[in-house]
Amino acid sequence: LSDGSAEVILCEKELKSYNHTAEILRHELIHAIDHCKYEVDWDNPKHVACTEIRAASLSGDCRWAAEAGRGALGSSIGPKMLAKGHHPKCVRRRATLSLMSTGLSKLKAEQAVDAVFEDCYNDVSPFGVIPQ
Protein backbone atom coordinates (compact mmCIF):
# COMPACT_ATOMS: atom_id res chain seq x y z
CA LEU A 1 0.00 0.00 0.00
CA SER A 2 2.91 2.36 0.56
CA ASP A 3 3.45 2.69 -3.18
CA GLY A 4 -0.09 3.97 -3.67
CA SER A 5 -1.46 0.69 -4.98
CA ALA A 6 -4.63 -0.67 -3.45
CA GLU A 7 -3.61 -4.29 -3.22
CA VAL A 8 -2.19 -6.79 -0.77
CA ILE A 9 0.33 -9.22 -2.21
CA LEU A 10 1.27 -12.41 -0.36
CA CYS A 11 4.33 -14.42 -1.42
CA GLU A 12 3.58 -18.13 -1.23
CA LYS A 13 7.17 -19.08 -0.37
CA GLU A 14 6.97 -16.92 2.80
CA LEU A 15 3.75 -18.50 4.10
CA LYS A 16 4.39 -21.25 6.62
CA SER A 17 0.88 -22.57 7.25
CA TYR A 18 -2.80 -21.81 6.91
CA ASN A 19 -2.81 -20.04 10.30
CA HIS A 20 0.30 -18.03 9.41
CA THR A 21 -1.32 -16.98 6.13
CA ALA A 22 -4.51 -15.92 7.92
CA GLU A 23 -2.53 -13.90 10.47
CA ILE A 24 -0.53 -12.10 7.78
CA LEU A 25 -3.66 -11.40 5.77
CA ARG A 26 -5.42 -9.98 8.85
CA HIS A 27 -2.38 -7.79 9.58
CA GLU A 28 -2.20 -6.46 6.03
CA LEU A 29 -5.97 -5.89 5.83
CA ILE A 30 -5.76 -3.69 8.95
CA HIS A 31 -3.21 -1.59 7.01
CA ALA A 32 -5.62 -1.48 4.06
CA ILE A 33 -8.47 -0.31 6.30
CA ASP A 34 -6.23 2.37 7.81
CA HIS A 35 -5.04 3.45 4.38
CA CYS A 36 -8.62 4.07 3.27
CA LYS A 37 -10.14 5.32 6.53
CA TYR A 38 -7.32 7.54 7.81
CA GLU A 39 -5.52 8.51 4.59
CA VAL A 40 -2.20 7.25 5.93
CA ASP A 41 0.86 9.22 4.80
CA TRP A 42 3.33 6.36 4.44
CA ASP A 43 6.25 8.82 4.62
CA ASN A 44 5.14 10.03 8.09
CA PRO A 45 6.63 7.81 10.82
CA LYS A 46 3.78 8.60 13.23
CA HIS A 47 1.18 7.50 10.65
CA VAL A 48 3.11 4.30 9.97
CA ALA A 49 3.55 3.72 13.72
CA CYS A 50 -0.21 4.02 14.24
CA THR A 51 -1.14 1.51 11.57
CA GLU A 52 1.59 -0.88 12.77
CA ILE A 53 0.28 -0.60 16.35
CA ARG A 54 -3.26 -1.35 15.18
CA ALA A 55 -2.15 -4.22 12.93
CA ALA A 56 -0.04 -5.84 15.66
CA SER A 57 -2.85 -5.49 18.18
CA LEU A 58 -5.82 -6.52 16.05
CA SER A 59 -4.36 -9.19 13.76
CA GLY A 60 -3.31 -11.75 16.35
CA ASP A 61 0.41 -10.92 16.09
CA CYS A 62 0.58 -10.74 19.88
CA ARG A 63 -1.51 -13.77 20.80
CA TRP A 64 0.24 -16.18 23.15
CA ALA A 65 0.65 -18.87 20.47
CA ALA A 66 2.15 -16.40 17.97
CA GLU A 67 4.61 -15.10 20.56
CA ALA A 68 5.52 -18.64 21.66
CA GLY A 69 6.09 -19.62 18.03
CA ARG A 70 8.62 -16.83 17.54
CA GLY A 71 10.33 -17.48 20.90
CA ALA A 72 9.40 -14.06 22.30
CA LEU A 73 7.97 -15.13 25.65
CA GLY A 74 11.15 -15.44 27.67
CA SER A 75 10.21 -16.81 31.07
CA SER A 76 6.45 -16.18 30.60
CA ILE A 77 4.55 -19.44 30.52
CA GLY A 78 1.08 -20.00 29.12
CA PRO A 79 -1.85 -17.79 28.19
CA LYS A 80 -2.04 -16.30 31.70
CA MET A 81 0.92 -14.10 30.83
CA LEU A 82 -1.46 -12.02 28.70
CA ALA A 83 -3.07 -10.78 31.91
CA LYS A 84 0.30 -9.48 33.06
CA GLY A 85 0.39 -6.74 30.42
CA HIS A 86 2.19 -8.68 27.75
CA HIS A 87 -0.13 -7.66 24.91
CA PRO A 88 0.63 -3.90 24.89
CA LYS A 89 4.35 -4.60 25.36
CA CYS A 90 4.27 -6.98 22.41
CA VAL A 91 2.34 -4.48 20.27
CA ARG A 92 4.84 -1.74 21.10
CA ARG A 93 7.80 -4.04 20.30
CA ARG A 94 6.30 -5.29 17.01
CA ALA A 95 5.41 -1.75 15.86
CA THR A 96 8.92 -0.52 16.68
CA LEU A 97 10.50 -3.42 14.77
CA SER A 98 8.27 -2.71 11.76
CA LEU A 99 9.33 0.93 11.72
CA MET A 100 12.98 -0.06 12.05
CA SER A 101 12.57 -2.31 9.00
CA THR A 102 11.79 0.86 6.98
CA GLY A 103 15.20 2.31 7.86
CA LEU A 104 14.35 4.33 10.96
CA SER A 105 16.77 4.12 13.85
CA LYS A 106 15.58 2.36 17.00
CA LEU A 107 15.35 5.73 18.78
CA LYS A 108 13.26 7.38 16.02
CA ALA A 109 11.02 4.30 15.76
CA GLU A 110 10.45 4.24 19.53
CA GLN A 111 9.68 7.98 19.54
CA ALA A 112 7.11 7.60 16.75
CA VAL A 113 5.46 4.64 18.50
CA ASP A 114 5.44 6.42 21.87
CA ALA A 115 3.89 9.56 20.36
CA VAL A 116 0.79 7.75 19.08
CA PHE A 117 0.59 4.56 21.14
CA GLU A 118 -2.35 5.27 23.47
CA ASP A 119 -4.70 6.60 20.78
CA CYS A 120 -3.81 3.95 18.21
CA TYR A 121 -3.75 1.01 20.65
CA ASN A 122 -7.21 2.00 21.88
CA ASP A 123 -8.61 2.32 18.34
CA VAL A 124 -10.07 -1.15 17.84
CA SER A 125 -12.22 -0.38 14.80
CA PRO A 126 -13.67 -2.12 12.87
CA PHE A 127 -13.97 -4.82 15.59
CA GLY A 128 -15.04 -2.88 18.68
CA VAL A 129 -12.67 -4.97 20.84
CA ILE A 130 -9.27 -6.58 20.45
CA PRO A 131 -10.03 -9.98 18.85
CA GLN A 132 -9.03 -12.99 20.93
Side-chain angles (χ1 to χ4, degrees), residues 66-129:
E67 283 283 83
R70 68 176 70 95
L73 295 180
S75 61
S76 298
I77 300 174
K80 289 186 178 180
M81 64 86 184
L82 294 176
K84 297 178 183 176
H86 182 79
H87 188 264
K89 290 176 188 173
C90 172
V91 169
R92 189 179 293 275
R93 185 185 79 250
R94 305 274 305 155
T96 299
L97 289 171
S98 289
L99 283 169
M100 290 170 58
S101 76
T102 70
L104 280 183
S105 69
K106 183 176 182 181
L107 176 62
K108 294 284 186 190
E110 287 173 342
Q111 289 172 337
V113 169
D114 288 345
V116 300
F117 189 81
E118 289 305 317
D119 287 340
C120 299
Y121 183 77
N122 290 315
D123 179 357
V124 294
S125 64
F127 303 112
V129 297

Side-chain angles (χ1 to χ4, degrees), residues 13-69:
K13 68 180 182 176
E14 302 295 328
L15 305 174
K16 300 171 186 156
S17 67
Y18 174 83
N19 288 338
H20 182 244
T21 303
E23 183 177 307
I24 289 174
L25 189 55
R26 282 191 305 268
H27 182 106
E28 296 307 322
L29 288 175
I30 295 297
H31 290 317
I33 289 167
D34 289 351
H35 181 76
C36 295
K37 183 176 179 180
Y38 300 114
E39 298 180 16
V40 175
D41 174 356
W42 295 96
D43 294 321
N44 181 329
K46 289 180 183 176
H47 284 207
V48 177
C50 189
T51 192
E52 289 297 347
I53 289 164
R54 284 179 31 77
S57 179
L58 300 173
S59 68
D61 285 358
C62 291
R63 286 179 302 108
W64 178 80
E67 283 283 83

